[in-house]
Amino acid sequence: MSTKIASARISEKSSKLLQDLNNSLPFDKVLYREDIEGSRAHASMLCEQNIISVEDYNKIDAGLLEILEEVESGEFKLDGNDEDIHMAIEGRLTEKVGDAGKRLHTARSRNDQVALDFRLYVQNNTKTIASLLLENIRTLVNVAEEHAETMLPGMTHLQHAQPINFGYHMLAYASMFKRDYERFLSSYERNNYSPIGCAALAGTPHNISRQLTSDKLGFTAPTLNCLDTVSDRDFALEILFNISTMMMHMSRLSEELILWSAAEFKWVTLSDRHATGSSIMPQKKNPDIPELLRGKTGRVNGNLVALLTVMKGLPLAYNKDMQEDKEGVFDSVRTATLSLQVLEEMIADMTVNKDAMEDSCMVGHLSATDLADYLVKEAGLPFRDAYHITGDAVNLAEKKGLDISELALDDLQSIDERIGEGVVALLDNRASMNARMSEGGTATVRTLEQVESLRGWLSKQK
Ligand code: ARG
């Protein structure tokens, strides 16, 4: 097809280098479905508003449907010299249906056309990513229910802190993904407005109905201001930010899985389906999948910063800089979609090594805080004094090569006679975990309540 379909003022053939720099078809061809859907809605509105004839409309619509089939069957390759997907499809339509095809671009510009196509793409993929998030939340909740009694050392500063259960730990990630899901949905609602009919920047003198195209395309309403609409890429920035935040969560989970698979922990074993070998060390099993998920977080962050930077100095309205909006979004969407699918499979398939986790709980005096809490509750000590007495108990345990939960009552009373009989039972790690009954706490019953709460929430999502 001619690269000059829209170049009334340009007589010379474009330089090859200009085409290489300028043409977006090599990457925006993925928008062919959205472009055809948008054009069909636009043509149908033009016909209803008596701007084009029914005859022309029928030709345009049949032509566009044929082009859709040609692209999907590979007959129409989208690898020509056309500047972009919009010109490629319009050119092909005109080849097929003649003058009727040339009427399609009435009352629109590529500026609102690209804003529409790209927004449809972002909206569709927002839904796909949101539903993959739900799958991940479901899986995490299932693992959480199974392991609401599996104890492990909860950490701060990556140092053993207090006993928690593995289910509770998984629910922390389920909570992050729930917020991510809600962020994608709220972006969807905020951006669900139709750009088409804004034309180049100022609207059009044709008697169009933006409400009609908006309804046909499933938007909430047409956008308010055309100048803003053709200049706006907030919807693209939002999906990039939402993906970055979600991948940051995934990266933290990946980091933990990598640590937990190391010999020093051995808390989880990733299935052989999700691990790879070394080319030189035959004994090795590497956690490449979580490493890649962690690594890919870097590139999606890059895509976000790149588009923020592209947009920051642009005068209104459309500037060709904005063509740089697409590749990063396509890349982040592809990355997010694949990563979420892999993560879900990996979590569902991993083995949780309960014994190794529970053995680790005997290191680090995890229940020390319970002694201090006991002295506050039962002996009325100020917390700071109780804290120091507990420090002495920890030192004694260290000297004896024991965990604080293994100290005998006599040992404890040698430190402070206000320590009564009940303490020994309180210092047991499981008792310590189950004592954390406050709302949102780690006690097994509280963990199971959180499981139920998330299940209730999941059942209400579409
Ligand atoms: N390929 C362009 C893009 O992706 C389409 C819009 C072109 N509009 C224009 N006035 N040159 O941004």
Side-chain angles (χ1 to χ4, degrees):
M1 256 317 297
S2 153
T3 51
K4 292 287 188 224
I5 185 172
S7 46
R9 277 204 61 228
I10 299 168
S11 47
E12 251 180 89
K13 193 174 164 358
S14 303
S15 115
K16 172 75 176 78
L17 288 174
L18 174 126
Q19 289 179 27
D20 288 348
L21 183 69
N22 189 47
N23 290 8
S24 54
L25 184 62
F27 52 87
D28 69 14
K29 62 183 174 190
V30 306
L31 296 175
Y32 73 89
R33 260 187 255 107
E34 288 82 0
D35 195 73
I36 290 172
E37 187 191 355
S39 288
R40 290 184 69 206
H42 180 69
S44 153
M45 179 280 291
L46 290 177
C47 176
E48 282 178 57
Q49 296 295 105
N50 297 314
I51 297 168
I52 60 171
S53 67
V54 175
E55 202 192 347
D56 281 343
Y57 165 62
N58 287 338
K59 284 187 191 161
I60 290 171
D61 198 57
L64 286 169
L65 282 175
E66 272 176 42
I67 295 172
L68 182 62
E69 271 180 40
E70 287 175 5
V71 176
E72 295 199 321
S73 69
E75 192 187 322
F76 180 33
K77 292 247 178 310
L78 295 174
D79 58 1
N81 282 330
D82 302 283
E83 195 179 316
D84 56 29
I85 185 64
H86 324 294
M87 305 309 269
I89 289 177
E90 190 187 326
R92 179 82 185 119
L93 181 68
T94 303
E95 268 178 8
K96 291 172 89 73
V97 305
D99 278 355
K102 296 192 205 156
R103 295 188 193 278
L104 170 63
H105 211 55
T106 312
R108 84 173 179 189
S109 145
R110 270 187 303 161
N111 298 350
D112 57 338
Q113 191 179 355
V114 72
L116 170 65
D117 294 3
F118 198 29
R119 196 176 295 224
L120 286 171
Y121 172 90
V122 165
Q123 293 295 81
N124 291 337
N125 282 287
T126 295
K127 281 197 170 160
T128 305
I129 293 172
S131 73
L132 289 171
L133 273 165
L134 288 182
E135 288 305 307
N136 274 274
I137 297 170
R138 260 182 216 112
T139 298
L140 287 166
V141 167
N142 291 342
V143 174
E145 182 177 42
E146 200 184 326
H147 290 286
E149 294 190 33
T150 306
M151 281 198 308
L152 78 162
M155 306 205 191
T156 65
H157 311 269
L158 203 62
Q159 304 290 317
H160 288 205
Q162 290 177 344
I164 61 173
N165 68 73
F166 189 66
Y168 181 68
H169 201 119
M170 290 297 101
L171 292 181
Y173 285 104
S175 304
M176 295 175 222
F177 285 153
K178 175 173 177 280
R179 286 196 296 280
D180 291 330
Y181 172 83
E182 288 165 346
R183 233 185 314 273
F184 279 102
L185 284 202
S186 94
S187 293
Y188 185 93
E189 294 307 324
R190 187 169 27 264
N191 293 310
N192 202 35
Y193 292 87
S194 175
I196 194 71
C198 280
L201 73 164
T204 169
H206 292 285
N207 178 34
I208 61 168
S209 166
R210 293 189 59 214
Q211 186 64 53
L212 260 183
T213 37
S214 170
D215 291 346
K216 286 175 198 296
L217 292 166
F219 287 110
T220 309
T223 56
L224 179 73
N225 174 286
C226 292
L227 184 60
D228 168 50
T229 303
V230 290
S231 314
D232 169 33
R233 291 295 180 270
D234 292 1
F235 60 96
L237 288 165
E238 282 192 38
I239 197 172
L240 289 174
F241 173 78
N242 295 343
I243 288 173
S244 283
T245 305
M246 176 198 89
M247 291 292 294
M248 175 271 289
H249 293 148
M250 200 187 292
S251 182
R252 295 181 74 172
L253 175 52
S254 297
E255 167 67 10
E256 300 210 290
L257 292 172
I258 293 162
L259 282 173
W260 297 341
S261 324
E264 284 68 21
F265 284 83
K266 277 271 168 275
W267 288 356
V268 299
T269 309
L270 299 180
S271 81
D272 283 356
R273 290 211 297 157
H274 301 114
T276 56
S278 152
S279 62
I280 178 171
M281 296 167 282
Q283 83 285 10
K284 287 207 71 181
K285 185 171 154 183
N286 295 328
D288 292 35
I289 297 287
E291 286 169 341
L292 282 166
L293 298 181
R294 187 177 59 182
K296 283 179 187 297
T297 307
R299 72 194 273 164
V300 302
N301 289 351
N303 291 333
L304 169 62
V305 173
L307 185 56
L308 282 169
T309 312
V310 165
M311 296 305 293
K312 81 180 215 353
L314 297 185
L316 306 184
Y318 179 84
N319 300 270
K320 198 59 175 266
D321 316 46
M322 289 161 72
Q323 184 167 282
E324 291 296 311
D325 59 0
K326 289 176 202 64
E327 286 159 288
V329 170
F330 296 157
D331 180 65
S332 285
V333 163
R334 205 183 314 111
T335 302
T337 311
L338 180 60
S339 300
L340 280 167
Q341 293 176 74
V342 171
L343 180 74
E344 193 278 325
E345 208 179 80
M346 186 172 64
I347 297 288
D349 278 16
M350 74 184 175
T351 307
V352 176
N353 303 325
K354 210 171 155 176
D355 292 344
M357 280 186 189
E358 300 199 345
D359 288 350
S360 298
C361 289
M362 292 311 286
V363 179
H365 315 287
L366 298 181
S367 57
T369 322
D370 294 77
L371 176 57
D373 288 335
Y374 166 88
L375 289 167
V376 169
K377 279 210 272 187
E378 302 300 322
L381 265 68
F383 179 78
R384 202 43 77 203
D385 293 343
Y387 171 93
H388 287 297
I389 294 168
T390 304
D392 293 342
V394 169
N395 288 335
L396 179 65
E398 287 279 305
K399 219 186 289 159
K400 295 193 153 211
L402 296 174
D403 184 71
I404 195 169
S405 62
E406 295 170 310
L407 284 178
L409 184 61
D410 286 352
D411 291 331
L412 290 163
Q413 286 177 335
S414 73
I415 293 163
D416 194 297
E417 73 240 5
R418 283 168 293 189
I419 297 177
E421 229 179 300
V423 162
V424 176
L426 288 182
L427 295 187
D428 170 69
N429 279 322
R430 188 168 299 279
S432 165
M433 175 182 86
N434 283 324
R436 280 158 178 73
M437 281 288 288
S438 52
E439 298 101 320
T442 191
T444 294
V445 282
R446 287 301 197 195
T447 301
L448 291 172
E449 272 173 24
Q450 294 163 37
V451 164
E452 282 324 304
S453 159
L454 280 167
R455 288 232 168 98
W457 175 83
L458 279 166
S459 72
K460 287 190 227 107
Q461 308 312 308
K462 283 175 253 135

